[in-house]
């Protein structure tokens, strides 16, 4: 992939895609209440993955995370290839998405949120 | 360089190699390696995952120092950055794949206590984040290359990502080591 080295767009695309994928994976995990449709969908995804039967829900979440990361990266890379972006805003977005995903993934927080919504 | 200094270095190197050879032979012929790795396929898979995690520990430590230098404008050599970031990606990929392979060997009938499950699930998340972060840093370093010192924003972004990768790796590594110890003690996970 060629890159315009005078623009910071590609660098921001690389980081934002990780934050976005982490947030999506954390939200999917949060929505996967045992017995619910999201958990069934995750189980179905895990069933088609090699070794997914033993690895369970996490294998599906990992596959979703990696897929979202790569797709978002390709899309953002093309969209931001020749753009100079305000770094502060994008780094804040990246850190906020990563921080939020980490908080949502922390099991006690996830369980508390699930209990509140159910 | 004087002849005396060169010969001294050669002597030290020769002695070190000789001592290493003796140590290796002694260890290999006397160590109960089976006891170290553990029985069966699970033991071999665990040992491989731990070995790769140990290698990532080294590459990540180098990476975080390079990240700090990028952040503070003390540019390391581009060639060092490129090689370091690529090795980091390869090591992370190996650790992730070996972790996935290890996960498939888990016994689902062994239910872990809730307290351990909390740490295990978070370890999985932290470990999963490492690969995309180091790939992002590697792509920035390789794609910008010689232009990296000229763009402060890009340099700082690469440094930030390397530091974050180190943080998440340390979470995964520490929890992995702690859980391996607990697994030995309690026979769970």
């Amino acid at each position: 992939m060629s890159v315009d080295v005078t623009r910071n767009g590609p660098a921001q695309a690389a980081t934002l895609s990780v934050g976005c994928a982490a947030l999506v994976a954390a939200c999917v995990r949060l929505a996967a209440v045992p017995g619910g449709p999201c958990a069934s969908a995750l189980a179905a995804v895990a069933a088609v993955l090699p070794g997914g039967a033993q690895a369970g829900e996490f294998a599906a979440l990992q596959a979703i995370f990696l897929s979202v990361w790569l797709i978002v990266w390709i899309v953002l890379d093309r969209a931001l290839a020749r753009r100079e972006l305000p770094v502060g805003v994008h780094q804040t977005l990246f850190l906020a998405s990563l921080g939020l995903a980490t908080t949502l993934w922390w099991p006690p927080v996830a369980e508390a949120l699930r209990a509140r919504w159910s | 360089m004087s002849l005396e200094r060169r010969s001294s270095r050669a002597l030290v190197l020769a002695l070190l190699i000789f001592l290493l050879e003796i140590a290796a032979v002694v260890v290999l012929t006397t160590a109960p390696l089976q006891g170290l790795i553990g029985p069966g396929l699970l033991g071999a898979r665990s040992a491989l995952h731990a070995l790769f995690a140990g290698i990532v520990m080294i590459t990540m430590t180098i990476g975080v120092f390079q990240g700090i230098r990028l952040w503070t404008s003390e540019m390391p050599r581009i060639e060092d950055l490129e090689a370091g970031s690529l090795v980091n990606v390869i090591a992370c990929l190996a650790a992730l794949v070996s972790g996935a392979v290890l996960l498939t060997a888990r016994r689902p009938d062994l239910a872990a206590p809730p307290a351990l499950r909390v740490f295990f699930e978070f370890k999985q998340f932290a470990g999963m984040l490492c690969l995309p972060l180091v790939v992002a840093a590697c792509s920035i370093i390789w794609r910008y290359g010689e232009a990296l010192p000229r763009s402060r924003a890009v340099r700082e972004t690469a440094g930030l990502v390397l530091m974050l990768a180190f943080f998440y790796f340390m979470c995964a590594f520490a929890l992995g080591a702690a859980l391996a110890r607990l697994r030995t003690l309690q026979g769970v996970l």
Side-chain angles (χ1 to χ4, degrees):
Chain A
M1 286 185 281
S2 65
V3 61
D4 181 355
V5 293
T6 60
R7 302 276 183 253
N8 65 24
Q12 305 310 326
T15 55
L16 280 176
S17 60
V18 182
C20 185
L23 204 53
V24 168
C27 289
V28 170
R29 182 174 170 274
L30 197 62
V33 182
C38 194
S40 309
L42 279 182
V45 173
V48 296
L49 293 170
Q54 290 85 16
E57 186 188 74
F58 182 71
L61 284 169
Q62 198 167 26
I64 290 168
F65 171 72
L66 293 175
S67 311
V68 171
W69 165 53
L70 289 173
I71 292 166
V72 173
W73 191 7
I74 291 168
V75 171
L76 281 180
D77 193 74
R78 287 182 180 218
L80 307 177
R82 308 219 170 272
R83 293 179 67 176
E84 181 73 11
L85 302 163
V87 181
V89 174
H90 285 83
Q91 281 186 354
T92 308
L93 267 177
F94 167 58
L95 289 175
S97 58
L98 220 52
L100 188 61
T102 307
T103 310
L104 289 179
W105 198 286
W106 181 243
V109 172
E111 278 158 26
L113 286 173
R114 278 179 188 164
R116 195 174 179 148
W117 289 335
S118 60
Chain B
M1 193 185 291
S2 69
L3 187 65
E4 192 179 321
R5 190 168 169 190
R6 232 184 303 169
S7 65
S8 154
R9 190 189 287 177
L11 182 68
V12 169
L13 269 176
L15 265 172
L16 274 175
I17 291 167
F18 179 65
L19 288 172
L20 274 174
E21 261 184 53
I22 291 175
V25 168
V26 169
V27 168
L28 285 175
T29 53
T30 57
L33 289 176
Q34 191 56 35
L36 185 70
I37 293 170
L41 201 57
L42 184 63
R45 286 175 179 181
S46 305
L48 205 62
H49 182 54
L51 176 71
F52 286 133
I55 293 169
V56 177
M57 179 70 173
I58 298 166
T59 62
M60 279 283 187
T61 308
I62 296 167
V64 75
F65 274 106
Q66 290 180 333
I68 291 167
R69 292 189 70 183
L70 278 170
W71 184 264
T72 56
S73 312
E74 293 174 35
M75 273 298 292
R77 284 175 60 229
I78 294 295
E79 294 81 5
D80 293 347
L81 275 173
E82 287 177 344
S85 63
L86 190 63
V87 170
N88 221 352
V89 169
I90 295 167
C92 269
L93 192 63
L96 194 79
V97 170
S98 63
V101 169
L102 177 61
L103 209 59
T104 61
R106 205 166 50 139
R107 282 177 58 188
D109 56 311
L110 286 178
L116 294 192
R117 187 156 291 282
V118 168
F119 294 119
F120 183 66
E121 286 181 9
F122 193 71
K123 173 218 179 272
Q124 286 180 313
F125 171 72
M128 182 177 80
L129 269 183
C130 291
L131 180 70
L133 287 172
V134 294
V135 169
C138 184
S139 89
I140 294 170
I141 289 165
W142 276 83
R143 292 173 81 187
Y144 283 86
E146 296 294 337
L148 203 57
R150 292 197 295 274
S151 172
R152 186 181 163 199
V154 174
R155 209 179 56 230
E156 284 183 0
T157 304
L160 176 71
V161 174
L162 282 170
M163 287 187 269
L164 279 171
F166 181 74
F167 166 75
Y168 280 106
F169 171 72
M170 282 312 293
C171 288
F173 189 78
L175 287 174
L179 289 168
R181 180 180 158 274
L182 288 171
R183 187 177 64 183
T184 316
L185 291 175
Q186 301 182 10
V188 293
L189 287 172

Short mmCIF file of all heavy atoms in Angstrom, two decimals, chain B residues 86-136:
data_model
loop_
_atom_site.label_atom_id
_atom_site.label_comp_id
_atom_site.label_asym_id
_atom_site.label_seq_id
_atom_site.Cartn_x
_atom_site.Cartn_y
_atom_site.Cartn_z
N LEU B 86 8.89 -5.50 13.32
CA LEU B 86 8.54 -6.72 12.57
C LEU B 86 8.70 -7.97 13.44
O LEU B 86 7.83 -8.86 13.45
CB LEU B 86 9.41 -6.83 11.31
CG LEU B 86 9.00 -7.91 10.32
CD1 LEU B 86 7.61 -7.61 9.77
CD2 LEU B 86 9.99 -8.00 9.16
N VAL B 87 9.79 -8.02 14.20
CA VAL B 87 10.01 -9.16 15.10
C VAL B 87 8.91 -9.21 16.16
O VAL B 87 8.41 -10.28 16.51
CB VAL B 87 11.42 -9.06 15.75
CG1 VAL B 87 11.58 -10.08 16.86
CG2 VAL B 87 12.50 -9.25 14.71
N ASN B 88 8.50 -8.03 16.62
CA ASN B 88 7.41 -7.92 17.60
C ASN B 88 6.12 -8.54 17.04
O ASN B 88 5.42 -9.28 17.74
CB ASN B 88 7.17 -6.43 17.88
CG ASN B 88 6.91 -6.15 19.33
OD1 ASN B 88 6.76 -7.07 20.12
ND2 ASN B 88 6.85 -4.90 19.68
N VAL B 89 5.81 -8.23 15.79
CA VAL B 89 4.59 -8.76 15.16
C VAL B 89 4.68 -10.29 15.04
O VAL B 89 3.72 -11.00 15.38
CB VAL B 89 4.39 -8.13 13.76
CG1 VAL B 89 3.29 -8.86 13.00
CG2 VAL B 89 4.03 -6.67 13.89
N ILE B 90 5.82 -10.78 14.58
CA ILE B 90 5.98 -12.23 14.40
C ILE B 90 5.84 -12.95 15.75
O ILE B 90 5.15 -13.97 15.86
CB ILE B 90 7.33 -12.55 13.73
CG1 ILE B 90 7.36 -11.98 12.30
CG2 ILE B 90 7.60 -14.05 13.70
CD1 ILE B 90 8.72 -11.95 11.66
N ALA B 91 6.48 -12.39 16.78
CA ALA B 91 6.42 -13.02 18.11
C ALA B 91 4.99 -13.00 18.66
O ALA B 91 4.51 -14.00 19.22
CB ALA B 91 7.36 -12.29 19.06
N CYS B 92 4.30 -11.87 18.46
CA CYS B 92 2.91 -11.78 18.94
C CYS B 92 2.00 -12.76 18.21
O CYS B 92 1.12 -13.37 18.81
CB CYS B 92 2.38 -10.36 18.75
SG CYS B 92 2.67 -9.32 20.14
N LEU B 93 2.23 -12.88 16.91
CA LEU B 93 1.42 -13.80 16.11
C LEU B 93 1.63 -15.24 16.60
O LEU B 93 0.67 -16.00 16.76
CB LEU B 93 1.82 -13.68 14.64
CG LEU B 93 0.92 -14.36 13.62
CD1 LEU B 93 -0.47 -13.75 13.65
CD2 LEU B 93 1.50 -14.24 12.21
N ALA B 94 2.89 -15.59 16.88
CA ALA B 94 3.20 -16.93 17.37
C ALA B 94 2.54 -17.18 18.72
O ALA B 94 1.96 -18.26 18.96
CB ALA B 94 4.71 -17.11 17.47
N ALA B 95 2.58 -16.17 19.60
CA ALA B 95 1.97 -16.32 20.93
C ALA B 95 0.45 -16.44 20.82
O ALA B 95 -0.17 -17.24 21.52
CB ALA B 95 2.35 -15.13 21.81
N LEU B 96 -0.13 -15.66 19.90
CA LEU B 96 -1.60 -15.69 19.73
C LEU B 96 -2.05 -17.04 19.18
O LEU B 96 -3.02 -17.63 19.66
CB LEU B 96 -2.03 -14.56 18.80
CG LEU B 96 -3.52 -14.26 18.79
CD1 LEU B 96 -3.91 -13.44 20.01
CD2 LEU B 96 -3.94 -13.52 17.53
N VAL B 97 -1.33 -17.52 18.16
CA VAL B 97 -1.70 -18.81 17.56
C VAL B 97 -1.52 -19.94 18.56
O VAL B 97 -2.39 -20.81 18.72
CB VAL B 97 -0.87 -19.06 16.27
CG1 VAL B 97 -1.07 -20.48 15.77
CG2 VAL B 97 -1.27 -18.06 15.18
N SER B 98 -0.39 -19.92 19.30
CA SER B 98 -0.17 -20.98 20.29
C SER B 98 -1.21 -20.89 21.41
O SER B 98 -1.63 -21.92 21.95
CB SER B 98 1.25 -20.91 20.86
OG SER B 98 1.44 -19.69 21.53
N GLY B 99 -1.66 -19.67 21.73
CA GLY B 99 -2.71 -19.51 22.74
C GLY B 99 -4.03 -20.08 22.25
O GLY B 99 -4.76 -20.73 23.01
N ALA B 100 -4.33 -19.85 20.96
CA ALA B 100 -5.57 -20.38 20.39
C ALA B 100 -5.53 -21.91 20.34
O ALA B 100 -6.52 -22.58 20.63
CB ALA B 100 -5.77 -19.82 18.99
N VAL B 101 -4.36 -22.44 20.00
CA VAL B 101 -4.20 -23.90 19.96
C VAL B 101 -4.34 -24.49 21.37
O VAL B 101 -4.98 -25.52 21.57
CB VAL B 101 -2.83 -24.28 19.33
CG1 VAL B 101 -2.53 -25.75 19.51
CG2 VAL B 101 -2.82 -23.91 17.86
N LEU B 102 -3.78 -23.78 22.34
CA LEU B 102 -3.87 -24.22 23.74
C LEU B 102 -5.33 -24.21 24.21
O LEU B 102 -5.77 -25.12 24.92
CB LEU B 102 -3.02 -23.31 24.62
CG LEU B 102 -3.04 -23.56 26.12
CD1 LEU B 102 -2.53 -24.95 26.44
CD2 LEU B 102 -2.21 -22.53 26.85
N LEU B 103 -6.06 -23.20 23.77
CA LEU B 103 -7.46 -23.06 24.18
C LEU B 103 -8.30 -24.24 23.69
O LEU B 103 -9.24 -24.66 24.36
CB LEU B 103 -8.02 -21.75 23.61
CG LEU B 103 -9.13 -21.07 24.37
CD1 LEU B 103 -8.69 -20.72 25.78
CD2 LEU B 103 -9.56 -19.81 23.64
N THR B 104 -7.95 -24.76 22.51
CA THR B 104 -8.72 -25.89 21.97
C THR B 104 -8.46 -27.18 22.75
O THR B 104 -9.23 -28.14 22.63
CB THR B 104 -8.37 -26.14 20.49
OG1 THR B 104 -6.98 -26.46 20.42
CG2 THR B 104 -8.68 -24.94 19.63
N ALA B 105 -7.38 -27.19 23.55
CA ALA B 105 -7.08 -28.40 24.33
C ALA B 105 -7.64 -28.33 25.74
O ALA B 105 -7.44 -29.23 26.55
CB ALA B 105 -5.56 -28.58 24.40
N ARG B 106 -8.34 -27.23 26.03
CA ARG B 106 -8.90 -27.05 27.37
C ARG B 106 -9.99 -28.08 27.63
O ARG B 106 -10.75 -28.42 26.73
CB ARG B 106 -9.50 -25.64 27.46
CG ARG B 106 -9.57 -25.10 28.86
CD ARG B 106 -9.84 -23.62 28.79
NE ARG B 106 -10.97 -23.31 27.92
CZ ARG B 106 -11.89 -22.39 28.22
NH1 ARG B 106 -11.81 -21.72 29.33
NH2 ARG B 106 -12.87 -22.13 27.38
N ARG B 107 -10.06 -28.53 28.85
CA ARG B 107 -11.11 -29.49 29.20
C ARG B 107 -12.36 -28.75 29.65
O ARG B 107 -12.35 -28.13 30.72
CB ARG B 107 -10.61 -30.43 30.30
CG ARG B 107 -9.67 -31.52 29.77
CD ARG B 107 -9.15 -32.37 30.91
NE ARG B 107 -10.23 -32.99 31.66
CZ ARG B 107 -10.04 -33.65 32.81
NH1 ARG B 107 -8.83 -33.75 33.31
NH2 ARG B 107 -11.05 -34.21 33.44
N PRO B 108 -13.43 -28.78 28.87
CA PRO B 108 -14.62 -28.01 29.25
C PRO B 108 -15.29 -28.51 30.52
O PRO B 108 -16.02 -27.77 31.17
CB PRO B 108 -15.56 -28.18 28.05
CG PRO B 108 -14.92 -29.10 27.10
CD PRO B 108 -13.59 -29.52 27.63
N ASP B 109 -14.99 -29.78 30.89
CA ASP B 109 -15.63 -30.32 32.10
C ASP B 109 -15.02 -29.76 33.38
O ASP B 109 -15.60 -29.89 34.45
CB ASP B 109 -15.53 -31.85 32.09
CG ASP B 109 -14.09 -32.32 31.97
OD1 ASP B 109 -13.40 -31.80 31.08
OD2 ASP B 109 -13.66 -33.17 32.75
N LEU B 110 -13.84 -29.12 33.26
CA LEU B 110 -13.22 -28.54 34.45
C LEU B 110 -13.67 -27.09 34.59
O LEU B 110 -13.13 -26.19 33.98
CB LEU B 110 -11.69 -28.60 34.34
CG LEU B 110 -11.05 -29.97 34.54
CD1 LEU B 110 -9.54 -29.85 34.34
CD2 LEU B 110 -11.33 -30.54 35.91
N ALA B 111 -14.70 -26.87 35.37
CA ALA B 111 -15.22 -25.51 35.55
C ALA B 111 -14.32 -24.75 36.53
O ALA B 111 -13.99 -25.26 37.59
CB ALA B 111 -16.64 -25.57 36.08
N ALA B 112 -13.97 -23.54 36.14
CA ALA B 112 -13.09 -22.74 37.00
C ALA B 112 -13.92 -21.98 38.02
O ALA B 112 -15.05 -21.61 37.74
CB ALA B 112 -12.32 -21.75 36.15
N PRO B 113 -13.36 -21.74 39.21
CA PRO B 113 -14.07 -20.90 40.18
C PRO B 113 -14.28 -19.51 39.59
O PRO B 113 -13.46 -19.05 38.79
CB PRO B 113 -13.11 -20.85 41.37
CG PRO B 113 -12.15 -21.96 41.17
CD PRO B 113 -12.08 -22.24 39.72
N PRO B 114 -15.39 -18.82 39.97
CA PRO B 114 -15.70 -17.51 39.37
C PRO B 114 -14.56 -16.50 39.46
O PRO B 114 -14.32 -15.74 38.53
CB PRO B 114 -16.92 -17.04 40.16
CG PRO B 114 -17.52 -18.27 40.72
CD PRO B 114 -16.42 -19.25 40.91
N ALA B 115 -13.84 -16.51 40.58
CA ALA B 115 -12.76 -15.53 40.76
C ALA B 115 -11.68 -15.72 39.69
O ALA B 115 -11.15 -14.75 39.14
CB ALA B 115 -12.16 -15.68 42.14
N LEU B 116 -11.36 -16.97 39.39
CA LEU B 116 -10.33 -17.23 38.39
C LEU B 116 -10.84 -16.93 36.99
O LEU B 116 -10.09 -16.48 36.13
CB LEU B 116 -9.87 -18.68 38.46
CG LEU B 116 -9.14 -19.10 39.74
CD1 LEU B 116 -8.50 -20.46 39.55
CD2 LEU B 116 -8.09 -18.10 40.12
N ARG B 117 -12.13 -17.17 36.77
CA ARG B 117 -12.71 -16.92 35.44
C ARG B 117 -12.62 -15.43 35.08
O ARG B 117 -12.36 -15.08 33.93
CB ARG B 117 -14.16 -17.41 35.41
CG ARG B 117 -14.80 -17.35 34.05
CD ARG B 117 -15.93 -18.32 33.92
NE ARG B 117 -15.50 -19.70 33.93
CZ ARG B 117 -14.97 -20.31 32.87
NH1 ARG B 117 -14.77 -19.67 31.75
NH2 ARG B 117 -14.61 -21.58 32.94
N VAL B 118 -12.80 -14.57 36.08
CA VAL B 118 -12.70 -13.12 35.84
C VAL B 118 -11.32 -12.80 35.26
O VAL B 118 -11.20 -12.13 34.23
CB VAL B 118 -12.92 -12.35 37.17
CG1 VAL B 118 -12.52 -10.88 37.01
CG2 VAL B 118 -14.36 -12.45 37.62
N PHE B 119 -10.29 -13.31 35.91
CA PHE B 119 -8.93 -13.00 35.46
C PHE B 119 -8.62 -13.67 34.13
O PHE B 119 -7.93 -13.11 33.29
CB PHE B 119 -7.91 -13.41 36.53
CG PHE B 119 -8.04 -12.61 37.78
CD1 PHE B 119 -8.33 -13.22 39.00
CD2 PHE B 119 -7.90 -11.24 37.77
CE1 PHE B 119 -8.47 -12.46 40.15
CE2 PHE B 119 -8.04 -10.47 38.91
CZ PHE B 119 -8.33 -11.10 40.11
N PHE B 120 -9.13 -14.88 33.95
CA PHE B 120 -8.88 -15.62 32.71
C PHE B 120 -9.49 -14.89 31.52
O PHE B 120 -8.85 -14.73 30.47
CB PHE B 120 -9.42 -17.04 32.82
CG PHE B 120 -9.14 -17.89 31.62
CD1 PHE B 120 -7.83 -18.23 31.29
CD2 PHE B 120 -10.16 -18.34 30.81
CE1 PHE B 120 -7.56 -19.01 30.17
CE2 PHE B 120 -9.90 -19.11 29.69
CZ PHE B 120 -8.60 -19.45 29.38
N GLU B 121 -10.72 -14.42 31.69
CA GLU B 121 -11.40 -13.72 30.59
C GLU B 121 -10.69 -12.42 30.26
O GLU B 121 -10.56 -12.04 29.09
CB GLU B 121 -12.87 -13.47 30.95
CG GLU B 121 -13.70 -14.74 30.86
CD GLU B 121 -15.16 -14.53 31.19
OE1 GLU B 121 -15.60 -13.37 31.31
OE2 GLU B 121 -15.86 -15.54 31.33
N PHE B 122 -10.24 -11.71 31.28
CA PHE B 122 -9.55 -10.45 31.02
C PHE B 122 -8.19 -10.69 30.38
O PHE B 122 -7.76 -9.92 29.52
CB PHE B 122 -9.40 -9.64 32.31
CG PHE B 122 -8.99 -8.22 32.05
CD1 PHE B 122 -9.88 -7.33 31.47
CD2 PHE B 122 -7.71 -7.79 32.32
CE1 PHE B 122 -9.50 -6.02 31.19
CE2 PHE B 122 -7.32 -6.48 32.04
CZ PHE B 122 -8.22 -5.60 31.48
N LYS B 123 -7.54 -11.76 30.78
CA LYS B 123 -6.24 -12.13 30.18
C LYS B 123 -6.42 -12.38 28.68
O LYS B 123 -5.61 -11.95 27.86
CB LYS B 123 -5.68 -13.38 30.86
CG LYS B 123 -4.43 -13.93 30.20
CD LYS B 123 -4.45 -15.44 30.22
CE LYS B 123 -3.23 -16.01 29.56
NZ LYS B 123 -3.35 -16.22 28.15
N GLN B 124 -7.50 -13.06 28.34
CA GLN B 124 -7.77 -13.35 26.93
C GLN B 124 -7.96 -12.06 26.14
O GLN B 124 -7.44 -11.91 25.04
CB GLN B 124 -9.02 -14.21 26.81
CG GLN B 124 -8.80 -15.65 27.23
CD GLN B 124 -10.07 -16.45 27.07
OE1 GLN B 124 -11.13 -16.04 27.48
NE2 GLN B 124 -9.94 -17.61 26.47
N PHE B 125 -8.70 -11.11 26.73
CA PHE B 125 -8.95 -9.84 26.05
C PHE B 125 -7.64 -9.07 25.86
O PHE B 125 -7.35 -8.58 24.76
CB PHE B 125 -9.94 -9.01 26.87
CG PHE B 125 -10.10 -7.60 26.39
CD1 PHE B 125 -10.77 -7.33 25.21
CD2 PHE B 125 -9.58 -6.54 27.12
CE1 PHE B 125 -10.92 -6.02 24.77
CE2 PHE B 125 -9.73 -5.24 26.68
CZ PHE B 125 -10.40 -4.98 25.50
N ALA B 126 -6.85 -8.98 26.94
CA ALA B 126 -5.59 -8.22 26.86
C ALA B 126 -4.64 -8.85 25.84
O ALA B 126 -3.99 -8.14 25.06
CB ALA B 126 -4.94 -8.16 28.24
N GLY B 127 -4.59 -10.18 25.84
CA GLY B 127 -3.72 -10.86 24.87
C GLY B 127 -4.18 -10.66 23.44
O GLY B 127 -3.36 -10.49 22.53
N MET B 128 -5.50 -10.63 23.26
CA MET B 128 -6.07 -10.46 21.92
C MET B 128 -5.74 -9.08 21.35
O MET B 128 -5.54 -8.93 20.14
CB MET B 128 -7.59 -10.63 22.04
CG MET B 128 -8.38 -10.54 20.79
SD MET B 128 -10.13 -10.86 21.12
CE MET B 128 -10.66 -9.29 21.77
N LEU B 129 -5.65 -8.07 22.21
CA LEU B 129 -5.39 -6.70 21.74
C LEU B 129 -3.95 -6.47 21.29
O LEU B 129 -3.68 -5.55 20.52
CB LEU B 129 -5.71 -5.71 22.86
CG LEU B 129 -7.11 -5.15 22.94
CD1 LEU B 129 -7.19 -4.14 24.06
CD2 LEU B 129 -7.52 -4.49 21.63
N CYS B 130 -3.04 -7.30 21.79
CA CYS B 130 -1.61 -7.06 21.53
C CYS B 130 -1.28 -7.10 20.03
O CYS B 130 -0.58 -6.22 19.53
CB CYS B 130 -0.74 -8.08 22.26
SG CYS B 130 -0.76 -7.85 24.03
N LEU B 131 -1.79 -8.13 19.34
CA LEU B 131 -1.42 -8.29 17.92
C LEU B 131 -1.83 -7.08 17.07
O LEU B 131 -0.98 -6.51 16.39
CB LEU B 131 -1.98 -9.60 17.36
CG LEU B 131 -1.61 -9.82 15.89
CD1 LEU B 131 -0.14 -10.13 15.74
CD2 LEU B 131 -2.43 -10.94 15.27
N PRO B 132 -3.11 -6.64 17.12
CA PRO B 132 -3.46 -5.48 16.29
C PRO B 132 -2.65 -4.23 16.64
O PRO B 132 -2.31 -3.46 15.75
CB PRO B 132 -4.94 -5.25 16.59
CG PRO B 132 -5.42 -6.50 17.16
CD PRO B 132 -4.28 -7.17 17.82
N LEU B 133 -2.33 -4.07 17.92
CA LEU B 133 -1.57 -2.88 18.31
C LEU B 133 -0.15 -2.91 17.73
O LEU B 133 0.32 -1.91 17.19
CB LEU B 133 -1.52 -2.75 19.84
CG LEU B 133 -2.82 -2.30 20.51
CD1 LEU B 133 -2.72 -2.39 22.02
CD2 LEU B 133 -3.19 -0.88 20.11
N VAL B 134 0.50 -4.06 17.82
CA VAL B 134 1.87 -4.12 17.28
C VAL B 134 1.86 -4.09 15.75
O VAL B 134 2.78 -3.54 15.14
CB VAL B 134 2.70 -5.32 17.81
CG1 VAL B 134 2.95 -5.20 19.28
CG2 VAL B 134 2.09 -6.64 17.47
N VAL B 135 0.80 -4.64 15.15
CA VAL B 135 0.69 -4.56 13.68
C VAL B 135 0.49 -3.10 13.26
O VAL B 135 1.10 -2.64 12.28
CB VAL B 135 -0.45 -5.46 13.15
CG1 VAL B 135 -0.74 -5.18 11.69
CG2 VAL B 135 -0.09 -6.92 13.32
N ALA B 136 -0.33 -2.36 14.02
CA ALA B 136 -0.55 -0.95 13.72
C ALA B 136 0.77 -0.18 13.81
O ALA B 136 1.11 0.60 12.91
CB ALA B 136 -1.58 -0.35 14.68
#
